[in-house]
Amino acid sequence: MSKATAVANPNIAFIKYWGKTDQALNLPANPSVSMNLAALTTVTTVEFRPGLRVDTVAIDDRPAAGQPLERVVEHLDRVRSLAGITARASVASRSDFPAGTGLASSSSAFAALSLAATRAAGLDLEEAALSRLSRLGSGSACRSVPAGFSLWEGDSDEESFARQVAPSGHWDLVDVIALVAYRHKAVSSHDGHALAATSPLHEARLAAVPGWLETVLEGIRDRNLAAMGPIIEADALAMHGVMMTSVPSLLYWMPGTVAVLQAVRMWRKEGLEVWFTLDAGPNVHCLCGPADAEEVRDRLGNLEGVRDVLVSGAGDGVRPVDYHLF
Ligand code: DP6
């Protein structure tokens, strides 16, 4: 086979990946835990063609250039070397959500690219190997490979990949996402990781992670949002504390971001069980049970500064599909 298409969902981390011990291999400074988002998808088609002189890449129907193109070509090189082929490829990738706004588009992008490219190159990787390969493209992508809820840990290149901790059907947890900006962020998470170690708060966060991780894993096991909610908020704020105090400082928040954080805490006081987290961007992910999702969506939609609201439950892992984008 020389052409294949795959679909992946991005994931939202409950314990974040921020900072690396190896920039080139995307080895994380700490383990992380996440949930795939069923309602958001990236579809990617890859075709290796002997006649092509260079790899051509279209992202959301536009030709890719600069760093995004380089990262895809580097990833195709990894797949070519695994498969022992030299042919260049045509790649098309389309996401149904805005890229670069903290919705972790690189997670679904590199998970889908890894599966589509390996299949197109005639390889059939096991889940662990596919997760490991996806990590080399973008760290968070390794967590979009297993279905449902994933734990990414391991210190070496061979051992660092994500494993499922619970399937998507285990828990009907809902992520209600408040979009407060559509603009492409100034500093990508990919570039931001390198700054983590310049923050005096980085080591303090890393020291707290093992305890937090245990609570979050138990919370997923017991489907107990009330137990893990405070930790999810604490780690999101700790990560943004590291970002804000790194050199140079990264400030992803917008006025709408703060409005949502304040509102979520007020709603909780009123008895609504909802907890927030954020990635490297201004949008806010609000986690709640299915019975509260509509209420949370309506309330978010009425807040000043919130431009749109997306709602998603837990999603599947990366998977092949039998249609193509070209
Ligand atoms: C803030 O996976 O985008 O979303 O490995 O350099 O591609 P690279 O970084 P990336 O980092 C995502 C960071 C985060 C937190 C998280 O998803 O855990």
Side-chain angles (χ1 to χ4, degrees):
M1 184 193 262
S2 67
K3 187 173 187 175
T5 301
V7 173
N9 303 120
N11 63 76
I12 179 67
F14 301 154
I15 295 293
K16 304 295 183 182
Y17 153 50
W18 194 247
K20 307 180 191 183
T21 57
D22 188 312
Q23 294 289 336
L25 295 174
N26 291 339
L27 294 177
N30 65 276
S32 53
V33 182
S34 64
M35 174 177 101
N36 288 348
L37 298 174
L40 282 59
T41 57
T42 298
V43 185
T44 301
T45 299
V46 176
E47 181 174 28
F48 288 101
R49 284 197 235 153
L52 281 180
R53 273 196 320 110
V54 290
D55 295 314
T56 60
V57 179
I59 299 174
D60 292 328
D61 298 316
R62 273 185 238 120
Q67 197 193 50
L69 174 65
E70 276 167 35
R71 288 180 71 184
V72 172
V73 172
E74 272 175 34
H75 207 58
L76 292 168
D77 286 341
R78 290 181 190 109
V79 174
R80 277 188 281 260
S81 109
L82 274 177
I85 60 171
T86 54
R88 304 287 113 183
S90 285
V91 177
S93 184
R94 222 176 269 156
S95 296
D96 60 6
F97 55 96
T101 53
L103 293 186
S105 57
S106 72
S107 64
S108 49
F110 279 93
L113 177 65
S114 298
L115 182 58
T118 50
R119 292 275 176 130
L123 297 170
D124 185 12
L125 299 188
E126 307 245 308
E127 183 177 281
L130 192 64
S131 174
R132 182 179 163 266
L133 173 67
S134 301
R135 186 205 84 222
L136 292 166
S138 177
S140 56
C142 76
R143 296 186 312 234
S144 281
V145 172
F149 301 81
S150 301
L151 166 67
W152 171 19
E153 58 181 356
D155 295 330
S156 67
D157 184 24
E158 285 71 31
E159 289 299 310
S160 182
F161 55 86
R163 301 156 178 87
Q164 182 181 84
V165 294
S168 54
H170 166 75
W171 194 8
D172 48 9
L173 187 66
V174 181
D175 182 8
V176 188
I177 308 163
L179 290 171
V180 304
Y182 288 112
R183 237 179 319 147
H184 216 277
K185 60 197 174 204
V187 177
S188 70
S189 45
H190 188 62
D191 296 332
H193 280 287
L195 304 177
T198 66
S199 163
L201 305 184
H202 180 53
E203 290 301 325
R205 175 178 170 263
L206 293 182
V209 162
W212 287 348
L213 189 72
E214 212 178 297
T215 306
V216 167
L217 289 172
E218 282 169 12
I220 293 172
R221 187 195 63 201
D222 303 340
R223 303 182 194 91
N224 188 344
L225 181 58
M228 64 194 237
I231 305 302
I232 291 173
E233 285 195 2
D235 190 42
L237 294 172
M239 178 182 74
H240 279 270
V242 170
M243 292 164 165
M244 289 176 196
T245 52
S246 65
V247 185
S249 164
L250 301 175
L251 181 55
Y252 289 110
W253 295 6
M254 304 282 283
T257 311
V258 180
V260 175
L261 305 190
Q262 296 284 8
V264 164
R265 292 203 163 167
M266 204 173 68
W267 297 338
R268 229 167 31 233
K269 279 207 180 111
E270 295 166 11
L272 193 61
E273 207 199 307
V274 51
W275 302 86
F276 65 73
T277 183
L278 317 91
D279 278 341
N283 300 316
V284 186
H285 295 251
C286 301
L287 300 162
C288 62
D292 294 325
E294 210 172 299
E295 178 73 21
V296 171
R297 189 191 58 196
D298 289 349
R299 290 191 189 198
L300 286 171
N302 287 328
L303 282 182
E304 185 141 4
V306 174
R307 302 175 59 172
D308 209 348
V309 183
L310 306 175
V311 181
S312 182
D316 285 333
V318 67
R319 57 232 177 246
V321 289
D322 56 11
Y323 59 88
H324 302 302
L325 291 180
F326 59 86

